[in-house]
Amino acid sequence: MKNIARRNFLKYTAASIGTASLITATHNINSASAREKNLTARVNNYADMSPDEAISELMNGNKRFVEQKSINPNQSRLRLAEVAEGQAPFACILTCSDSRVAPEIVFDRGLGDLFVVRDAGNIATSGEIGSLEYGVSVLGAKAIVVMGHKNCGAVQAAIKLGSTSGFIASIVNEILPAVEMAKEKDGELIQNTITANILLQKSKVQTSPIISQLVKENKVKIIGAYYDLETGKVDLVS
Ligand SMILES: [Zn+2]
């Protein structure tokens, strides 16, 4: 948010006062950015991470988790104090609220590492997409992972209930197109719907002009992922 305020300030400055003042203002802005960059680097060294490196970091963490070799990084009192000053998570995770799907645990990460957006069925509506926009454009995360999971209750509800009413409809209706897509495929309907839903919600995230611009500039990568509740393993879905 600070960056946006600064940009507006710069615009105002350019329009209303002279070039000398503009140079001074720009210098102040750059100094402030440098200070923030230093803070970010000190906090976690993620500033120069590429999108592919961010994804590798997640997958390596999941490998440790699956092999019961978690190292529980960034969970110390020191880390707590560090990130209290500012956050610069390296990845955003959009996943289900299911109590068995816990991003920091399954990716073996700690405080200030992941910007997590959760709801039943890992659906991407305006609130979730807005949160992800904040994660990548303001906080500087390098990757967005849209992660569904085995035996998802929200997906099962969408298959069972079909079109429904009440608050639950706001969840189920977002998953229904995935049910229809899955019906056209061979194999288990629930499994096919979970996969179709991951790809459907991922495509909705891609409709954000802010996010797609960052993807175009190779600053952010969006991937689909599937979490197996039984093995703890995360697999990429495309
Ligand atoms: Zn679920």
Side-chain angles (χ1 to χ4, degrees):
M1 291 304 172
K2 273 183 197 159
N3 290 338
I4 292 166
R6 241 181 253 128
R7 269 203 298 277
N8 288 341
F9 173 66
L10 181 60
K11 214 156 80 183
Y12 168 78
T13 310
S16 60
I17 52 178
T19 312
S21 302
L22 178 61
I23 290 167
T24 310
T26 307
H27 174 74
N28 291 340
I29 288 159
N30 289 340
S31 302
S33 299
R35 273 199 303 278
E36 273 190 12
K37 212 173 173 185
N38 285 341
L39 174 66
T40 302
R42 192 166 63 76
V43 165
N44 51 30
N45 297 318
Y46 300 149
D48 297 326
M49 195 183 254
S50 71
D52 284 332
E53 284 168 341
I55 292 164
S56 293
E57 193 68 27
L58 291 172
M59 299 313 280
N60 290 341
N62 179 247
K63 191 168 180 283
R64 292 195 298 272
F65 172 67
V66 171
E67 293 173 356
Q68 295 193 300
K69 291 178 183 164
S70 292
I71 56 172
N72 308 311
N74 295 334
Q75 296 182 22
S76 65
R77 292 293 299 181
L78 178 65
R79 177 65 169 174
L80 184 70
E82 275 179 350
V83 293
E85 292 180 38
Q87 62 166 327
F90 68 86
C92 296
I93 317 285
L94 170 61
T95 193
C96 186
S97 301
D98 192 300
S99 61
R100 301 163 293 181
V101 183
E104 277 85 358
I105 297 175
V106 307
F107 289 116
D108 191 25
R109 298 306 319 182
L111 298 169
D113 292 340
L114 307 178
F115 189 76
V116 180
V117 182
R118 295 178 74 171
D119 55 35
N122 42 275
I123 59 167
T125 57
S126 54
E128 290 82 19
I129 297 171
S131 299
L132 294 171
E133 286 179 346
Y134 179 76
V136 291
S137 69
V138 180
L139 302 181
K142 318 293 181 189
I144 296 175
V145 182
V146 179
M147 188 166 80
H149 68 97
K150 191 169 193 170
N151 293 336
C152 181
V155 170
Q156 284 166 342
I159 292 171
K160 204 173 150 195
L161 297 173
S163 196
T164 184
S165 59
F167 289 119
I168 196 159
S170 64
I171 301 284
V172 164
N173 291 345
E174 296 297 326
I175 302 174
L176 286 180
V179 180
E180 293 309 310
M181 284 182 238
K183 278 179 183 167
E184 290 170 17
K185 293 195 170 169
D186 294 332
E188 237 188 311
L189 181 61
I190 173 75
Q191 210 55 30
N192 288 342
T193 309
I194 290 168
T195 306
N197 187 48
I198 293 165
L199 298 175
L200 173 67
Q201 306 309 330
K202 182 184 160 209
S203 72
K204 285 197 246 172
V205 173
Q206 286 165 327
T207 63
S208 155
I210 292 174
I211 294 171
S212 57
Q213 180 61 32
L214 289 167
V215 170
K216 217 161 96 182
E217 293 169 7
N218 295 319
K219 289 177 180 163
V220 169
K221 209 165 199 174
I222 312 177
I223 58 164
Y226 173 82
Y227 176 67
D228 187 323
L229 294 178
E230 288 169 33
T231 64
K233 195 167 186 299
V234 174
D235 284 309
L236 300 186
V237 173
S238 54

